[in-house]
Amino acid sequence: MADTRIPLLKFDSINVVYNQGKANQVHALKDVSGEIHEGEFVSIIGPSGCGKSTLLHTLDGLIKPTSGSIHVNGRQVEGPGGDRAMVFQDFALMPWHTVYQNVAFGLRLAGKPDREIRERVMHYIQLVGLEGFEGKYPHQLSGGMKQRVGIARAFAVDPKVLLMDEPFSAIDEQTREIMQEEVLKIMLYEKKTVIFITHSIDEAVFLSNRIFLMSVRPGKIVDDLKIDVPYPRTLETKTLPEYQSYKAKIWDHLKGEVARQYLRGEA
């Protein structure tokens, strides 16, 4: 049955072509369309170089599409806006600012009053488990703690859509699994909409309601896979037969796309 809900985010026929001289154009995305509804956690996964991050940055307004349109809550996206917030893989913290100042940064840019800033900053610092570290600087934090600061900063500005670009790729595997559970708890508690880029099949299945599977470049969404495993999820969820079945299906897709890359001489 077709989903008749009005999507929170909708993108139609997105094309991104990088011009590196007339003889060397790179068609990164081709006719990419999709809909994401409020409260969904949607991962995007595909072979290396397929345009996952390009798509995410285009949805954020950091990259202007060559053609196509993007709408959030019915309003066309023309550039970055307060209805979207990005969490980057390299943390992107300001080293001269404390944890508190980093989390407060977007709120101060928005001109929020000091009392509201303090309430929101402390709420999200507590929510990501960093209470007591408000006065610490990034160099005093572990990789996982830095990423918690980035997540708190993004949530603090109360975006409609949270965009996460491989946020756990720079942290160790043990911390990564802990962060997956923490992000799910926050997402469910805050009822936020998340678009998540990852190379990890396991991570995508564990976190997502749906997964967009992308083709080799020029990147296209070739499947929209619903993950029918109930929340809340724990590490024990990963032992379920249906969980393993989803992983196998995605792995088959990736193997096929990588084989196409080899045949084209791009891998």
Side-chain angles (χ1 to χ4, degrees):
M1 181 180 294
D3 195 331
T4 59
R5 293 176 296 166
I6 297 173
L8 174 61
L9 186 148
K10 182 176 182 178
F11 46 102
D12 290 308
S13 302
I14 295 296
N15 284 271
V16 175
V17 179
Y18 295 118
N19 291 303
Q20 300 175 345
K22 289 185 178 179
N24 191 24
Q25 288 188 335
V26 176
H27 202 154
L29 298 175
K30 183 178 180 181
D31 298 328
V32 179
S33 299
E35 296 183 353
I36 296 171
H37 297 91
E38 190 168 6
E40 285 191 312
F41 196 118
V42 177
S43 288
I44 303 174
I45 195 165
S48 294
C50 72
K52 297 184 295 294
S53 290
T54 297
L55 176 56
L56 196 74
H57 291 186
T58 303
L59 297 178
D60 192 39
L62 296 170
I63 295 175
K64 184 175 179 60
T66 307
S67 61
S69 64
I70 304 163
H71 291 82
V72 177
N73 254 357
R75 296 184 60 182
Q76 184 156 332
V77 170
E78 302 290 352
D83 51 7
R84 286 148 287 138
M86 179 80 79
V87 177
F88 297 93
Q89 58 182 290
D90 60 356
F91 314 131
L93 303 181
M94 289 167 282
W96 57 90
H97 281 178
T98 63
V99 167
Y100 183 97
Q101 291 167 333
N102 268 288
V103 177
F105 183 73
L107 294 169
R108 294 205 183 281
L109 281 182
K112 300 296 183 181
D114 287 344
R115 181 176 178 179
E116 181 181 345
I117 290 174
R118 177 163 182 80
E119 288 176 353
R120 294 190 65 79
V121 169
M122 293 308 301
H123 169 72
Y124 286 105
I125 283 177
Q126 291 167 8
L127 201 60
V128 300
L130 287 177
E131 189 173 9
F133 290 87
E134 299 90 339
K136 300 294 184 182
Y137 289 88
H139 74 271
Q140 298 173 299
L141 306 176
S142 68
M145 294 169 77
K146 290 176 185 176
Q147 198 54 280
R148 288 171 189 264
V149 177
I151 291 168
R153 179 178 58 190
F155 272 109
V157 297
D158 194 26
K160 294 288 185 184
V161 182
L162 186 63
L163 304 156
M164 305 183 80
D165 189 2
E166 296 189 65
F168 307 145
S169 62
I171 56 181
D172 64 87
E173 191 63 30
Q174 183 179 18
T175 304
R176 186 172 186 151
E177 290 200 347
I178 294 169
M179 290 296 296
Q180 289 170 8
E181 289 198 279
E182 290 299 314
V183 164
L184 270 188
K185 288 178 185 176
I186 296 169
M187 187 271 287
L188 293 171
Y189 178 78
E190 294 286 313
K191 297 180 173 61
K192 290 296 183 185
T193 305
V194 181
I195 306 174
F196 190 92
I197 301 294
T198 181
H199 278 96
S200 169
I201 297 172
D202 184 76
E203 188 166 76
V205 176
F206 183 73
L207 293 171
S208 309
N209 301 108
R210 294 159 61 209
I211 299 175
F212 290 159
L213 300 180
M214 290 189 68
S215 70
V216 294
R217 192 175 69 234
K220 294 181 285 187
I221 295 174
V222 295
D223 199 0
D224 181 352
L225 181 62
K226 183 180 179 182
I227 306 300
D228 195 14
V229 177
Y231 293 111
R233 298 173 187 167
T234 65
L235 295 181
E236 287 71 29
T237 302
K238 299 184 178 187
T239 65
L240 297 173
E242 57 267 40
Y243 186 95
Q244 297 301 320
S245 177
Y246 287 125
K247 287 181 61 177
K249 182 171 183 177
I250 297 168
W251 178 235
D252 285 344
H253 164 78
L254 290 177
K255 282 194 297 184
E257 291 300 314
V258 170
R260 286 181 61 202
Q261 284 182 315
Y262 273 104
L263 288 173
R264 289 161 45 173
E266 296 179 357

